[in-house]
Amino acid sequence: MTALAPRSRPTPLLAPVYRGATIGSIALVFLVAFEALAVATVMPVVSADLDGRALYSVAFSVTLSSSLVGMVVAGLWSDRVGAVRPLLASVALFGAGLAVAGLAPSMEALVAGRFVQGLGGGALSVSLYVLVAQVYAPVDRVRILAAFAAAWVLPGVVGPFLAGVVADTVGWRWVFLGAVVLAGGALGLLGPALRVARSLPSAGAPAPGRVVATRIALASLVALALLGLNVAGAASGTTRAVLAVGALAAALAALRPLLPVGTLRSAAGAPSVVLLRGLVGAAFFASEAYLPFLLQEQYGARVWVSGLVLTAATIGWASASQVQGRLGERLRDESALGLGAVLLSLGIGSILLVLLTPSPGVLVGLGWLVAASGMGLMYPRITAVVLARAADHERGGASAAVTLADAVGSAAAVAVAGLLFTAVGSAADRSAFVAVLMLSTTLGLLAVGASRRV
């Protein structure tokens, strides 16, 4: 396996030149997806066993918060030395966090493990993107990034069930500890690709210590502001609104220097691409958080039916990702991003229309499938476009920016949607769901605007 030269014709992802990188990187993505879904499944059992119900939500939020710091650190480090060392460190941290959580004697220890796991998980996503840029030719990147989306399908189908079986037979600790073994195996498969990436020159100079410290501090402030945004939900009336607005403003202020100049005002080019990633994630995941609730409470759907809708949408997302990957350069980046944003907006907007009219609930599922297909068209292309427009020594920072925009946009939108939902009504009030979908539709329309400036 040798360092790759730029090519204009696609190469199969499982060709000898790519085989190790493809199998290993997909295995890591599969692991992250499985772990996220599995932990969500067993966490009620974990909190009961460790007598830690008061820290239930913290066990999730602390992972997101620390991942933001991991993204920034990995971006800075990758720009200096390439993907190899950050990737090895991120997998080590991810595995160490899983081990601490799996062996935790108390809920406090489990939260500590989840914090370490978040650092590794955030760094892992950035490092993998940089590895893709180093190992794969530009013409092949959209297909490997599409394969990353497909790697979420099987965990989405079997992950929760398998986690439940493990928890009921050998115990919930093996949901964490078993993933440590899988992480080691996935890293072993990546060995040939890491040797290639290590042989490539590093074009970047180390960032000054002051810059590193500042960016880490800013990422930490963003994380704290997002935590504050979630805490605001426990307040009431004017206090809740003031806390929410203040936390959201603080998050955006701290996030702004971590993104390309002009991102928040949708400046043409790369800034709008990064903004698009944040907006589409915000629109999609704010809707997804309430979709099963909507189907069950307003349309009387069984729990398994609402779950089936989410599974079908996951398959739609992965299928659209594969379609854009196979089309490659025949589908222009601008067209993929523009069409994806329009489909996302149409899908969410159609669900809103169903709510506002006496329409059957099955149309909610169809609208969500359209929205998910739009996401599948955009997600791999956004990353590929960002990597293509970044210089070799800027790929870490570019990857960190797009993952930060994604994580912060999604987390902030879900929190704001929750505040809107409780402010307007309850699950018995259709108007509460309408408020959430109006927020998501607005975000989707903003995404359409950003897609026209890429």
Side-chain angles (χ1 to χ4, degrees):
M1 189 170 180
T2 57
L4 303 176
R7 289 189 297 276
S8 58
R9 297 185 62 183
T11 297
L13 295 180
L14 291 177
V17 71
Y18 286 154
R19 186 176 297 135
T22 297
I23 296 174
S25 59
I26 289 176
L28 281 176
V29 173
F30 178 93
L31 170 65
V32 171
F34 174 81
E35 184 277 336
L37 295 165
V39 169
T41 301
V42 303
M43 193 58 75
V45 179
V46 175
S47 63
D49 188 42
L50 298 179
D51 192 23
R53 290 182 178 84
L55 294 175
Y56 183 89
S57 62
V58 177
F60 291 98
S61 59
V62 72
T63 306
L64 170 64
S65 300
S66 60
S67 73
L68 302 181
V69 178
M71 292 172 192
V72 170
V73 172
L76 291 166
W77 196 6
S78 297
D79 281 341
R80 178 182 175 185
V81 302
V84 177
R85 278 184 276 175
L87 183 59
L88 292 173
S90 66
V91 175
L93 278 173
F94 189 76
L98 287 169
V100 171
L103 298 172
S106 66
M107 196 65 174
E108 289 79 6
L110 184 131
V111 169
R114 295 279 288 165
F115 176 85
V116 175
Q117 183 188 337
L119 287 174
L124 177 59
S125 60
V126 172
S127 302
L128 273 179
Y129 286 157
V130 177
L131 184 71
V132 165
Q134 286 187 272
V135 173
Y136 292 83
V139 70
D140 299 318
R141 290 175 192 162
V142 292
R143 291 183 301 117
I144 183 60
L145 292 169
F148 286 0
W152 278 81
V153 174
L154 186 58
V157 174
V158 305
F161 171 75
L162 185 57
V165 171
V166 171
D168 287 341
T169 53
V170 296
W172 62 263
R173 295 183 183 276
W174 283 101
V175 172
F176 293 94
L177 298 176
V180 177
V181 178
L182 295 177
L187 191 60
L189 293 171
L190 264 177
L194 296 181
R195 285 194 291 272
V196 169
R198 186 182 285 115
S199 69
L200 300 176
S202 299
R210 177 173 53 82
V211 172
V212 173
T214 299
R215 293 180 73 82
I216 292 175
L218 287 170
S220 301
L221 286 174
V222 174
L224 290 173
L226 289 177
L227 288 174
L229 188 58
N230 283 278
V231 169
S236 59
T238 305
T239 303
R240 175 168 54 188
V242 171
L243 288 176
V245 171
L248 187 59
L252 292 176
L255 179 65
R256 182 173 171 271
L258 298 174
L259 303 179
V261 176
T263 296
L264 297 185
R265 56 180 173 84
S266 194
S272 283
V273 181
V274 173
L275 177 64
L276 179 64
R277 179 66 168 258
L279 288 172
V280 298
F284 186 85
F285 291 110
S287 301
E288 185 183 56
Y290 286 90
L291 196 67
F293 209 11
L294 167 66
L295 289 169
Q296 294 168 30
E297 294 294 331
Q298 295 295 322
Y299 293 96
R302 302 290 295 271
V303 174
W304 69 268
V305 172
S306 61
L308 185 62
V309 169
L310 297 185
T311 300
T314 301
I315 295 173
W317 181 324
S319 299
S321 295
Q322 293 303 308
V323 168
Q324 66 81 35
R326 289 182 178 277
L327 290 174
E329 294 179 340
R330 288 174 291 171
L331 177 64
R332 295 173 61 246
D333 294 331
E334 293 82 356
S335 299
L337 301 186
L339 178 58
V342 169
L343 288 176
L344 173 66
S345 298
L346 284 175
I348 297 175
S350 67
I351 298 174
L352 176 60
L353 185 61
V354 169
L355 267 179
L356 294 172
T357 59
S359 302
V362 67
L363 296 180
V364 172
L366 293 176
W368 194 236
L369 182 61
V370 171
S373 299
M375 292 293 284
L377 280 177
M378 287 183 290
Y379 245 55
R381 283 300 176 103
I382 290 173
T383 305
V385 169
V386 168
L387 291 175
R389 297 186 181 189
D392 290 352
H393 64 284
E394 296 174 339
R395 287 170 175 164
S399 298
V402 77
T403 51
L404 274 170
D406 187 3
V408 174
S410 302
V414 170
V416 172
L419 291 169
L420 273 177
F421 187 88
T422 55
V424 172
S426 66
D429 303 307
R430 184 164 291 202
S431 57
F433 293 102
V434 168
V436 170
L437 287 167
M438 287 182 67
L439 170 67
S440 298
T441 301
T442 300
L443 291 169
L445 293 174
L446 290 174
V448 172
S451 73
R452 298 181 182 276
R453 297 180 56 79
V454 301

